[in-house]
Amino acid sequence: MQKPKLGFWNIWNMSFGFLGIQFGFALQGSTMSRIFETLGANKDEIPLLWIAAPLAGLIVQPIIGYLSDNTWHKNLGRRRPFFLIGAILSSIALLFMPYSSEVWMAAGLLLVLDASINISMEPFRALVADKLPESQRSYGFVVQTLIIGVGTWVASNLPKWVNDTLEISNEAPSGVVPDSVKVAFGVGAFVFITAILVTIFTTKEYSPAELAQFDDAEKEPEEKKGMWETISGTYALMPLIMKKLGVVQFFSWFAFFAMWTLANPALTSHIYNAPKPDVIEFAKTTTDDNGELITMRDSNDEVVFLNDAKALEYKQQDKSYNEASDDVGSKMGIYGLTSMVFALGLTFYTAYNSINRKYIHMASLILGGLGFLYMFFIPGEPDKLLISFSLIGIAWGSILSMPYAMLSSSVESHKMGLMMGVFNMFIVIPQIIAAIGGVVFLQNLIGEESIHAMTIAGIFLIIAAFSNLLITNKKAITYQPSIDNE
């Protein structure tokens, strides 16, 4: 028996929680490097400070995938308990993040935030395979991408909107995150939990007994194994299609990690000529117990500047940096908007027409790579970032749908949660390599300017594009329409 096809609004409701998840990811991606710089981190240290995010994914994703495959709650079902737990923890982390007073606090909260987001996110990927027949899976993943695009665009624009519209200041004393960012993270926490609750209350899951009746169910029950034995066995017996898609994912996610971690310092400096000012250059200094140079502070813990002129100069430069950072975040939101448009177009097209997933993904990644490379050629022209991020958004829309659609067509449905979790190894490993120095090392091979991190991102995305030629599995490549032409 085939799973029944679902209507658009059923698929929309089951995917709506991704709006909240993407609010968390987008605020993290557009603002975390700014927070680290505000708290005193050097730009070359920023990728390493982000390492908590991919480490959390490497550990959490396969475990949550296994647990969600083997969970059934009489009220919340199979995947929804994990949506709820992750949403509560993520919302708490979002609320506290902008109140960090030290770099290590922000890095620690980033670990909590990313681990919590992953608790919610991986079961969402598996829910598409649980609920939809094979003919609708690309359609389902594309709808998820549509919602992710909305979340990315809105959340990336939040700090700028809060400052411009609500007139909440984007300036703050040295070492303090501006109020506009604090309010944006508070809004993000509210949207996260609310969007997840919409999916929980509007989506019914199939019970294990119901799933067993469908054609894509496991034909002969396997011997039950422990969690660690199952996960390690899955790694060892990884399907060939997953390995080939893993090559594509490796280069794709290395590129996007470079963007999330270094776009703010790269673009504020290269495009806006407004780098984060180093307060040491403007203030009276002393040395700490380790002999390191630090700023002198008064009884109110405020920086003591060399003179009034230096204080004013620092404030003006910091204001320029914060305004540039707001605009970089807003421009980054464009990649969410264009990924949404891409997903919407693909949703309508795939409803009636077959597609070649491999070539769509390859073309999309090439366009994204060109978007990254273009950034180097537009110093002093921030409006042209709209072109760059529009092209990057096409790649992002494809990254969030095509690989998962190709994989879900080629693995057993009863292991979908675990497989999605293991597959994300190819997302987190390139990010870990980039974080421990990979992206800074490669950037410095081209030149010391931080904009070269975006050049590396472009090169890697184009390599990812041509890696699609490795994929030859016809079932994975070919997608048939979800609505029959009559």
Side-chain angles (χ1 to χ4, degrees):
M1 182 173 68
Q2 289 284 337
K3 291 174 184 172
K5 290 184 177 181
L6 300 184
F8 173 78
W9 289 112
N10 296 111
I11 298 174
W12 176 269
N13 286 335
M14 66 183 265
S15 301
F16 190 76
F18 249 113
L19 178 70
I21 290 172
Q22 197 55 33
F23 255 73
F25 268 133
L27 283 169
Q28 172 183 300
S30 64
T31 313
M32 273 311 304
S33 293
R34 176 182 181 179
I35 290 174
F36 285 137
E37 281 195 292
T38 298
L39 296 176
N42 181 280
K43 65 180 177 63
D44 288 341
E45 297 170 343
I46 290 174
L48 186 59
L49 292 169
W50 273 76
I51 197 169
L55 277 178
L58 184 65
I59 297 167
V60 170
Q61 287 168 355
I63 294 174
I64 294 301
Y66 173 87
L67 292 175
S68 71
D69 281 345
N70 293 277
T71 293
W72 181 257
H73 186 277
K74 63 179 181 179
N75 295 320
L76 291 175
R78 188 183 194 187
R79 314 293 183 187
R80 289 177 294 168
F82 299 94
F83 300 168
L84 184 59
I85 293 168
I88 292 170
L89 294 175
S90 297
S91 297
I92 293 170
L94 283 168
L95 282 172
F96 283 99
M97 177 68 78
Y99 292 91
S100 302
S101 58
E102 301 286 346
V103 169
W104 64 266
M105 291 175 62
L109 280 169
L110 179 60
L111 174 62
V112 175
L113 175 61
D114 215 81
S116 303
I117 290 175
N118 277 296
I119 291 172
S120 288
M121 184 180 70
E122 288 318 305
F124 259 105
R125 295 291 189 195
L127 184 66
V128 169
D130 290 347
K131 293 280 292 179
L132 298 180
E134 166 63 27
S135 63
Q136 281 193 307
R137 283 184 186 166
S138 277
Y139 185 57
F141 284 120
V142 168
V143 171
Q144 281 191 354
T145 304
L146 175 64
I147 292 171
I148 288 169
V150 175
T152 300
W153 181 67
V154 175
S156 297
N157 277 280
L158 263 181
K160 183 175 175 63
W161 181 83
V162 167
N163 176 239
D164 292 348
T165 305
L166 302 183
E167 297 184 351
I168 295 174
S169 177
N170 67 352
E171 299 178 59
S174 175
V176 177
V177 177
D179 287 343
S180 59
V181 175
K182 293 174 181 175
V183 171
F185 270 72
V187 172
F190 174 78
V191 172
F192 199 121
I193 190 74
T194 302
I196 292 288
L197 289 175
V198 168
T199 289
I200 288 174
F201 287 123
T202 61
T203 301
K204 180 181 180 296
E205 295 186 72
Y206 293 122
S207 69
E210 290 171 320
L211 283 171
Q213 302 302 312
F214 297 123
D215 291 346
D216 59 355
E218 181 185 9
K219 301 306 178 188
E220 296 182 11
E222 293 182 354
E223 179 186 350
K224 284 288 182 184
K225 299 177 182 178
M227 179 172 68
W228 300 114
E229 186 180 358
T230 302
I231 293 173
S232 61
T234 303
Y235 277 121
L237 300 174
M238 197 179 294
L240 182 60
I241 181 66
M242 187 185 288
K243 294 176 182 176
K244 291 180 176 181
L245 282 168
V247 177
V248 180
Q249 293 288 80
F250 179 92
F251 290 105
S252 301
W253 286 87
F254 190 104
F256 272 87
F257 187 81
M259 181 187 76
W260 293 323
T261 56
L262 292 172
N264 197 69
L267 299 180
T268 54
S269 177
H270 185 72
I271 306 293
Y272 295 83
N273 194 29
K276 177 68 177 175
D278 186 351
V279 71
I280 290 280
E281 298 176 6
F282 302 86
K284 293 181 180 180
T285 59
T286 184
T287 53
D288 62 13
D289 294 338
N290 298 319
E292 302 226 351
L293 202 63
I294 59 171
T295 58
M296 293 179 63
R297 293 182 176 266
D298 61 20
S299 58
N300 295 319
D301 200 34
E302 293 185 357
V303 172
V304 179
F305 288 93
L306 291 169
N307 51 53
D308 290 344
K310 286 293 184 182
L312 180 60
E313 185 181 356
Y314 173 81
K315 186 175 181 180
Q316 289 172 338
Q317 289 189 23
D318 197 53
K319 177 179 174 63
S320 297
Y321 166 78
N322 280 310
E323 289 175 347
S325 293
D326 280 349
D327 204 52
V328 167
S330 178
K331 295 290 196 302
M332 284 181 71
I334 296 297
Y335 87 85
L337 191 62
T338 51
S339 72
M340 178 185 70
V341 173
F342 172 83
L344 187 61
L346 208 55
T347 298
F348 287 119
Y349 187 82
T350 57
Y352 296 95
N353 300 278
S354 62
I355 59 170
N356 186 303
R357 292 162 171 160
K358 177 173 80 172
Y359 289 127
I360 284 181
H361 195 42
M362 185 167 71
S364 300
L365 294 179
I366 289 173
L367 290 174
L370 294 175
F372 278 119
L373 294 174
Y374 183 57
M375 292 175 178
F376 178 77
F377 300 99
I378 54 171
E381 300 181 88
D383 288 344
K384 290 186 177 179
L385 284 174
L386 296 175
I387 298 171
S388 286
F389 283 116
S390 294
L391 294 173
I392 290 166
I394 295 171
W396 183 237
S398 189
I399 286 169
L400 292 176
S401 54
M402 290 298 109
Y404 295 99
M406 286 190 270
L407 179 66
S408 69
S409 298
S410 310
V411 300
E412 299 154 306
S413 63
H414 68 285
K415 289 184 177 179
M416 194 63 67
L418 175 59
M419 285 295 184
M420 289 295 179
V422 170
F423 184 52
N424 279 288
M425 173 183 70
F426 297 110
I427 291 176
V428 298
I429 287 179
Q431 294 183 65
I432 291 171
I433 292 172
I436 61 176
V439 66
V440 173
F441 172 76
L442 292 172
Q443 165 199 321
N444 288 335
L445 290 180
I446 302 175
E448 293 183 1
E449 296 87 354
S450 54
I451 191 62
H452 293 309
M454 301 301 98
T455 303
I456 293 297
I459 293 169
F460 269 54
L461 214 49
I462 291 171
I463 294 172
F466 287 102
S467 298
N468 277 278
L469 297 174
L470 296 171
I471 301 167
T472 55
N473 184 313
K474 290 184 179 179
K475 185 179 180 183
I477 292 169
T478 304
Y479 170 71
Q480 298 301 323
S482 56
I483 300 174
D484 295 331
N485 280 312
E486 295 181 356

CSV table of all heavy atoms in Angstrom, one decimal, residues 106-132:
chain,number,residue,atom,x,y,z
A,106,ALA,N,30.0,33.3,25.2
A,106,ALA,CA,29.3,33.2,23.9
A,106,ALA,C,29.5,31.9,23.2
A,106,ALA,O,28.6,31.3,22.6
A,106,ALA,CB,29.7,34.4,23.0
A,107,ALA,N,30.8,31.4,23.2
A,107,ALA,CA,31.1,30.2,22.6
A,107,ALA,C,30.4,29.0,23.3
A,107,ALA,O,29.9,28.1,22.6
A,107,ALA,CB,32.6,30.0,22.7
A,108,GLY,N,30.3,29.0,24.6
A,108,GLY,CA,29.6,28.0,25.3
A,108,GLY,C,28.1,28.0,25.0
A,108,GLY,O,27.5,26.9,24.8
A,109,LEU,N,27.5,29.2,24.9
A,109,LEU,CA,26.1,29.2,24.6
A,109,LEU,C,25.8,28.8,23.1
A,109,LEU,O,24.8,28.3,22.8
A,109,LEU,CB,25.5,30.7,24.8
A,109,LEU,CG,25.2,31.0,26.3
A,109,LEU,CD1,25.0,32.5,26.5
A,109,LEU,CD2,24.0,30.2,26.7
A,110,LEU,N,26.8,29.1,22.3
A,110,LEU,CA,26.7,28.6,20.9
A,110,LEU,C,26.7,27.1,20.8
A,110,LEU,O,25.9,26.5,20.0
A,110,LEU,CB,27.9,29.2,20.0
A,110,LEU,CG,27.9,28.7,18.6
A,110,LEU,CD1,26.7,29.2,17.8
A,110,LEU,CD2,29.2,29.3,17.9
A,111,LEU,N,27.4,26.4,21.6
A,111,LEU,CA,27.4,25.0,21.7
A,111,LEU,C,26.0,24.5,22.1
A,111,LEU,O,25.4,23.6,21.5
A,111,LEU,CB,28.4,24.5,22.7
A,111,LEU,CG,28.4,23.0,23.0
A,111,LEU,CD1,28.7,22.2,21.8
A,111,LEU,CD2,29.4,22.6,24.1
A,112,VAL,N,25.4,25.1,23.2
A,112,VAL,CA,24.1,24.8,23.6
A,112,VAL,C,23.1,25.0,22.6
A,112,VAL,O,22.2,24.2,22.3
A,112,VAL,CB,23.7,25.5,24.9
A,112,VAL,CG1,22.3,25.3,25.3
A,112,VAL,CG2,24.7,25.2,26.1
A,113,LEU,N,23.2,26.2,21.9
A,113,LEU,CA,22.2,26.6,20.9
A,113,LEU,C,22.2,25.6,19.7
A,113,LEU,O,21.2,25.1,19.3
A,113,LEU,CB,22.5,28.0,20.4
A,113,LEU,CG,21.6,28.5,19.2
A,113,LEU,CD1,20.2,28.5,19.6
A,113,LEU,CD2,22.1,29.9,18.8
A,114,ASP,N,23.4,25.3,19.2
A,114,ASP,CA,23.5,24.5,18.0
A,114,ASP,C,23.1,23.0,18.3
A,114,ASP,O,22.4,22.4,17.5
A,114,ASP,CB,24.9,24.5,17.5
A,114,ASP,CG,24.9,24.4,16.0
A,114,ASP,OD1,24.7,25.5,15.3
A,114,ASP,OD2,25.1,23.3,15.4
A,115,ALA,N,23.5,22.5,19.5
A,115,ALA,CA,23.1,21.2,19.9
A,115,ALA,C,21.5,21.1,20.0
A,115,ALA,O,20.9,20.1,19.5
A,115,ALA,CB,23.7,20.8,21.2
A,116,SER,N,20.9,22.1,20.6
A,116,SER,CA,19.5,22.2,20.7
A,116,SER,C,18.8,22.3,19.4
A,116,SER,O,17.7,21.6,19.2
A,116,SER,CB,19.1,23.3,21.6
A,116,SER,OG,19.8,23.3,22.9
A,117,ILE,N,19.3,23.1,18.5
A,117,ILE,CA,18.7,23.2,17.2
A,117,ILE,C,18.7,21.9,16.4
A,117,ILE,O,17.8,21.5,15.8
A,117,ILE,CB,19.4,24.3,16.3
A,117,ILE,CG1,19.1,25.7,16.9
A,117,ILE,CG2,19.0,24.3,14.9
A,117,ILE,CD1,19.9,26.9,16.2
A,118,ASN,N,19.8,21.2,16.6
A,118,ASN,CA,20.0,19.9,15.9
A,118,ASN,C,19.0,18.9,16.5
A,118,ASN,O,18.5,18.0,15.8
A,118,ASN,CB,21.4,19.4,16.1
A,118,ASN,CG,22.3,19.9,15.0
A,118,ASN,OD1,22.1,19.7,13.8
A,118,ASN,ND2,23.3,20.7,15.4
A,119,ILE,N,18.6,19.0,17.8
A,119,ILE,CA,17.6,18.1,18.3
A,119,ILE,C,16.3,18.2,17.6
A,119,ILE,O,15.6,17.2,17.4
A,119,ILE,CB,17.5,18.3,19.9
A,119,ILE,CG1,18.8,17.9,20.6
A,119,ILE,CG2,16.3,17.6,20.4
A,119,ILE,CD1,18.8,18.3,22.1
A,120,SER,N,16.0,19.5,17.3
A,120,SER,CA,14.7,19.7,16.5
A,120,SER,C,14.9,19.4,15.0
A,120,SER,O,13.9,18.9,14.4
A,120,SER,CB,14.3,21.2,16.7
A,120,SER,OG,13.8,21.4,18.0
A,121,MET,N,16.0,19.8,14.5
A,121,MET,CA,16.1,19.8,13.0
A,121,MET,C,16.1,18.4,12.4
A,121,MET,O,15.4,18.2,11.4
A,121,MET,CB,17.4,20.6,12.6
A,121,MET,CG,17.5,20.7,11.1
A,121,MET,SD,19.0,21.6,10.6
A,121,MET,CE,20.2,20.4,11.0
A,122,GLU,N,17.0,17.5,12.9
A,122,GLU,CA,17.1,16.2,12.2
A,122,GLU,C,15.8,15.4,12.1
A,122,GLU,O,15.5,14.8,11.0
A,122,GLU,CB,18.2,15.4,12.9
A,122,GLU,CG,19.6,15.9,12.6
A,122,GLU,CD,19.8,16.3,11.1
A,122,GLU,OE1,19.5,15.5,10.2
A,122,GLU,OE2,20.2,17.5,10.9
A,123,PRO,N,15.0,15.4,13.1
A,123,PRO,CA,13.7,14.7,13.0
A,123,PRO,C,12.8,15.3,11.9
A,123,PRO,O,11.9,14.7,11.3
A,123,PRO,CB,13.1,14.8,14.4
A,123,PRO,CG,14.3,14.8,15.3
A,123,PRO,CD,15.3,15.7,14.6
A,124,PHE,N,12.9,16.7,11.7
A,124,PHE,CA,12.1,17.3,10.7
A,124,PHE,C,12.5,16.7,9.3
A,124,PHE,O,11.6,16.6,8.5
A,124,PHE,CB,12.4,18.8,10.7
A,124,PHE,CG,11.3,19.6,11.4
A,124,PHE,CD1,11.5,20.1,12.6
A,124,PHE,CD2,10.1,19.8,10.8
A,124,PHE,CE1,10.5,20.8,13.3
A,124,PHE,CE2,9.1,20.5,11.4
A,124,PHE,CZ,9.3,21.0,12.7
A,125,ARG,N,13.8,16.5,9.0
A,125,ARG,CA,14.2,15.9,7.8
A,125,ARG,C,13.5,14.6,7.6
A,125,ARG,O,13.0,14.2,6.5
A,125,ARG,CB,15.7,15.8,7.7
A,125,ARG,CG,16.4,17.1,7.7
A,125,ARG,CD,16.2,17.9,6.4
A,125,ARG,NE,17.1,19.1,6.4
A,125,ARG,CZ,17.0,20.0,5.5
A,125,ARG,NH1,15.9,20.0,4.7
A,125,ARG,NH2,17.8,21.1,5.5
A,126,ALA,N,13.6,13.8,8.7
A,126,ALA,CA,13.0,12.4,8.6
A,126,ALA,C,11.5,12.4,8.5
A,126,ALA,O,10.9,11.5,7.9
A,126,ALA,CB,13.5,11.6,9.8
A,127,LEU,N,10.8,13.4,9.0
A,127,LEU,CA,9.4,13.5,9.0
A,127,LEU,C,8.9,13.5,7.5
A,127,LEU,O,7.8,13.0,7.2
A,127,LEU,CB,8.9,14.7,9.8
A,127,LEU,CG,7.4,14.9,9.9
A,127,LEU,CD1,6.8,13.8,10.7
A,127,LEU,CD2,7.0,16.2,10.5
A,128,VAL,N,9.6,14.2,6.7
A,128,VAL,CA,9.2,14.3,5.2
A,128,VAL,C,9.1,12.8,4.7
A,128,VAL,O,8.2,12.5,4.0
A,128,VAL,CB,10.2,15.1,4.4
A,128,VAL,CG1,10.0,14.9,2.9
A,128,VAL,CG2,10.1,16.6,4.8
A,129,ALA,N,10.1,12.0,4.9
A,129,ALA,CA,10.1,10.7,4.4
A,129,ALA,C,9.1,9.8,5.1
A,129,ALA,O,8.5,8.9,4.5
A,129,ALA,CB,11.5,10.0,4.6
A,130,ASP,N,8.8,10.1,6.4
A,130,ASP,CA,7.8,9.3,7.1
A,130,ASP,C,6.4,9.6,6.5
A,130,ASP,O,5.6,8.7,6.4
A,130,ASP,CB,7.7,9.8,8.6
A,130,ASP,CG,8.9,9.3,9.4
A,130,ASP,OD1,9.7,8.5,8.9
A,130,ASP,OD2,9.1,9.9,10.5
A,131,LYS,N,6.1,10.8,6.2
A,131,LYS,CA,4.8,11.2,5.9
A,131,LYS,C,4.4,11.2,4.4
A,131,LYS,O,3.3,11.0,4.0
A,131,LYS,CB,4.5,12.7,6.4
A,131,LYS,CG,4.5,12.8,7.9
A,131,LYS,CD,3.1,12.4,8.4
A,131,LYS,CE,2.0,13.3,8.1
A,131,LYS,NZ,0.7,12.9,8.6
A,132,LEU,N,5.5,11.4,3.5
A,132,LEU,CA,5.2,11.5,2.1
A,132,LEU,C,5.6,10.3,1.3
A,132,LEU,O,6.6,9.7,1.6
A,132,LEU,CB,5.9,12.8,1.6
A,132,LEU,CG,5.6,14.1,2.2
A,132,LEU,CD1,6.4,15.2,1.5
A,132,LEU,CD2,4.1,14.4,2.0
